[in-house]
Amino acid sequence: MASAQEDPAQQPPSPLTAANELTRRGLDSASLIRYGMWRQISASVVGEIIAGRVFPILNSPENKQSKIDNESWATALKIPNTPSNWQGGATPFAEVEDYIAKIVDKSFPAVTRWIKSAPIHDIIELNPPSQIHPKTGWNEDIPDEEICNQYSWAVDRFSETFPRDWKESSLHLEYLWQAGEISPPCPESLMGERTVSQEILNAEIARRTVRSAPQKDNSRTASVFRVSDMTRYARTLLKNNRNIEAASIFEFASKQNPSDPEAHNNLGFCLIPTDPQKALQHLEIASDLNYEVPATNTYNKACCYIALGRPRSALNCIEQFWPHIIESDPREASLWRVNSENEWELFESNDSTTSLIDLAIDVSSSEGWLEDVHHWKYRKSSI
């Protein structure tokens, strides 16, 4: 699972940071926020509501993480309270998943509608309205896709450092603009403030084309539900041994968008200590969908084999994916390991590739496979 301290370039820019930067450059920051960042803003609000309503543990003094006035938002959106029988213990998986689905279906259209007309300062600060008039369905609430893509392109171009972090539509629009086929989203003089390498742009478009098949999903919920926004809440739950609730986040996300590799990888990660066989199934799906951090995914799969008492399969898994792993960039990650009491515990890895090699060495050493120990130690010294 992605680390809480992962590369800032992998995180969407905050609305306030992006607005200040884009206003400084003479752009229409109000429209950029309303149409270019509505997904990020909606996901932030709904994610905080889910955390505050579904997971009371996050409201304890040592876990004050909410960035919004949760109660006021829940009142404005008319979100029902968490069932009283959830307090103080494990909750039935299906109940948690169903409650999350109800919050998402009820909140996303309403928050998106609020973004269209609320004062920009309230949007930036995520100040709750007194009420949001309810409507049913998504069609009237989702902004026009063509307009959103134009403004998202501007946000990506001036807020995201690397094209690898851009939305796919932004890459395509940048390509067409560089080819002289479309107009830019702002004056040419501003576009000239940053040069985007055509070689890097083409390489990123080609990489996504080769590694990812086109993914169609007609669910409006799936198009805006961001797995990354829920990861930190899941991590807190896991640290408090609430694996069922943590897994339910990603179970819901994977059902809403079956083609999202991150949802499947994170669901598998949550299930490793309690259901390694089911965890392995979701991790394999994530791998088939080209999960972007193969070292992390492979580490998780190896942990499943260890939990299932199949250490040789764990090493074979690492060996099989090694060519893909050494080609990928180092990434931070939250990972599992077995402690001295033979229990699974979380730890933060600065580089999941190095942690994967260390896991191979530990497994080989514990099984007395000396040739494998030397083999993986050599690989560690050569990277």
Side-chain angles (χ1 to χ4, degrees):
M1 187 160 68
S3 170
Q5 300 175 338
E6 64 188 42
D7 184 350
Q10 301 300 316
Q11 299 292 327
S14 72
L16 182 59
T17 299
N20 290 338
E21 176 64 13
L22 296 169
T23 298
R24 185 186 71 81
R25 295 172 181 271
L27 298 171
D28 180 4
S29 62
S31 294
L32 285 162
I33 289 172
R34 292 190 199 280
Y35 300 109
M37 304 186 71
W38 69 272
R39 284 184 174 86
Q40 295 97 312
I41 297 168
S42 295
S44 294
V45 172
V46 177
E48 294 289 345
I49 292 171
I50 291 174
R53 290 278 144 173
V54 179
F55 311 126
I57 192 172
L58 295 177
N59 290 329
S60 62
E62 64 270 22
N63 286 305
K64 286 292 183 182
Q65 298 185 24
S66 184
K67 297 180 289 186
I68 67 171
D69 182 345
N70 205 300
E71 284 299 320
S72 295
W73 269 108
T75 299
L77 294 167
K78 300 181 180 179
I79 302 297
N81 290 327
T82 306
S84 58
N85 66 330
W86 287 15
Q87 304 291 334
T91 306
F93 190 98
E95 289 187 24
V96 178
E97 183 185 353
D98 182 62
Y99 190 75
I100 292 175
K102 289 179 180 177
I103 291 179
V104 172
D105 288 340
K106 188 179 185 69
S107 300
F108 260 119
V111 174
T112 302
R113 189 163 59 253
W114 168 78
I115 292 171
K116 284 184 177 181
S117 58
I120 291 300
H121 177 268
D122 285 348
I123 299 176
I124 291 174
E125 299 296 330
L126 302 181
N127 294 328
S130 58
Q131 64 177 351
I132 299 178
H133 296 292
K135 285 187 179 181
T136 58
W138 291 85
N139 292 339
E140 297 181 18
D141 300 315
I142 301 299
D144 180 80
E145 183 176 10
E146 185 174 347
I147 295 175
C148 290
N149 287 345
Q150 286 286 328
Y151 284 113
S152 293
W153 174 25
V155 171
D156 283 344
R157 202 175 200 281
F158 294 111
S159 300
E160 297 283 5
T161 304
F162 304 106
R164 70 168 182 254
D165 302 315
W166 291 18
K167 297 178 180 65
E168 189 166 317
S169 61
S170 299
L171 294 173
H172 295 172
L173 290 170
E174 178 74 20
Y175 177 89
L176 292 172
W177 174 68
Q178 289 195 14
E181 297 182 28
I182 63 171
S183 300
C186 60
E188 294 278 357
S189 58
L190 289 176
M191 294 292 283
E193 288 189 14
R194 179 187 181 186
T195 300
V196 178
S197 166
Q198 190 174 57
E199 180 180 359
I200 294 176
L201 180 71
N202 292 344
E204 179 60 23
I205 292 174
R207 184 187 72 83
R208 296 197 193 186
T209 301
V210 170
R211 292 181 62 86
S212 302
Q215 297 171 357
K216 299 288 186 179
D217 195 315
N218 295 324
S219 167
R220 290 293 194 178
T221 307
S223 69
V224 294
F225 188 83
R226 296 175 61 87
V227 173
S228 58
D229 290 307
M230 301 309 300
T231 298
R232 68 187 178 99
Y233 306 127
R235 186 180 296 105
T236 300
L237 290 165
L238 290 170
K239 288 180 178 178
N240 287 274
N241 298 317
R242 298 184 66 161
N243 295 46
I244 291 177
E245 290 93 330
S248 69
I249 295 174
F250 303 116
E251 177 81 8
F252 169 76
S254 66
K255 287 183 177 178
Q256 290 294 315
N257 190 359
S259 62
D260 185 347
E262 186 179 7
H264 288 286
N265 182 80
N266 288 0
L267 174 56
F269 173 83
C270 293
L271 293 172
I272 288 172
T274 56
D275 193 346
Q277 189 64 58
K278 184 176 179 180
L280 186 59
Q281 293 172 3
H282 284 281
L283 293 167
E284 292 286 5
I285 293 173
S287 179
D288 291 341
L289 291 170
N290 295 315
Y291 181 67
E292 66 175 354
V293 193
T296 301
N297 179 262
T298 303
Y299 184 102
N300 290 336
K301 287 190 287 188
C303 285
C304 291
Y305 286 119
I306 293 170
L308 292 167
R310 299 168 57 186
R312 176 53 67 183
S313 295
L315 288 186
N316 290 341
C317 174
I318 300 173
E319 185 69 45
Q320 177 185 355
F321 284 90
W322 185 251
H324 302 287
I325 292 168
I326 59 175
E327 294 177 358
S328 60
D329 297 329
R331 294 285 186 90
E332 297 178 349
S334 295
L335 301 171
W336 291 107
R337 65 185 172 195
V338 179
N339 61 23
S340 58
E341 298 177 357
N342 203 34
E343 296 178 345
W344 290 100
E345 66 177 10
L346 288 174
F347 75 100
E348 299 299 320
S349 170
N350 293 325
D351 178 2
S352 55
T353 299
T354 300
S355 295
L356 182 63
I357 298 176
D358 289 338
L359 179 65
I361 294 172
D362 290 343
V363 171
S364 302
S365 178
S366 64
E367 296 296 326
W369 299 332
L370 297 183
E371 287 190 13
D372 292 295
V373 172
H374 295 315
H375 171 70
W376 287 105
K377 283 186 174 180
Y378 173 78
R379 279 188 166 169
K380 183 176 183 179
S381 67
S382 63
I383 62 171

